[in-house]
Amino acid sequence: MSAGKLDKRIAFESPVDTADGAGGTVRGWAAQFTVAAGYMRLRGGETVLASRLSGTQPTVIRVRASTQARRVTTDWRGVDARTGEIFNLRAIIESDDRAFLEITAESGVAT
């Protein structure tokens, strides 16, 4: 994938627990970094079609591999910096040439 295909911006957020003032905690999100990304919306296959019918959109998010990007785990979430679309991260795989991370994610899912 060339740099021209990384035409989106995605912010990665990690989960944080903060005190709610009543002795409990509230789960929130802390922005970590924003990078250029490319999206590949998945269309075919029985599982993908079933997900789309339930209102979710499976997507592969591709970002350049870096020290920052390699810190991302499936506990984190991605947020499209331009549209605000939220992605739950499901799997993170390094590309064969180790230049990119391919992140399987779903949007339209409650976080």
Side-chain angles (χ1 to χ4, degrees):
M1 177 178 278
S2 67
K5 300 270 186 186
L6 302 179
D7 58 349
K8 309 283 193 255
R9 301 283 297 164
I10 189 159
F12 287 102
E13 299 178 344
S14 64
V16 293
D17 292 324
T18 56
D20 67 1
T25 59
V26 175
R27 171 65 50 109
W29 299 95
Q32 298 298 314
F33 60 93
T34 302
V35 294
Y39 298 163
M40 183 174 61
R41 304 291 183 163
L42 302 180
R43 290 181 175 77
E46 189 173 322
T47 304
V48 172
L49 290 174
S51 294
R52 288 175 54 203
L53 288 173
S54 68
T56 63
Q57 176 60 62
T59 303
V60 175
I61 301 168
R62 194 166 221 215
V63 299
R64 281 194 179 92
S66 66
T67 303
Q68 284 182 325
R70 286 189 174 99
R71 290 184 13 231
V72 175
T73 67
T74 55
D75 291 345
W76 292 29
R77 72 180 187 177
V79 180
D80 186 298
R82 295 179 179 138
T83 67
E85 182 179 12
I86 297 172
F87 296 94
N88 291 339
L89 310 183
R90 301 294 184 215
I92 303 167
I93 300 169
E94 199 165 47
S95 65
D96 291 338
D97 62 2
R98 300 177 53 115
F100 295 94
L101 295 179
E102 296 173 347
I103 302 167
T104 304
E106 287 182 324
S107 62
V109 180
T111 56

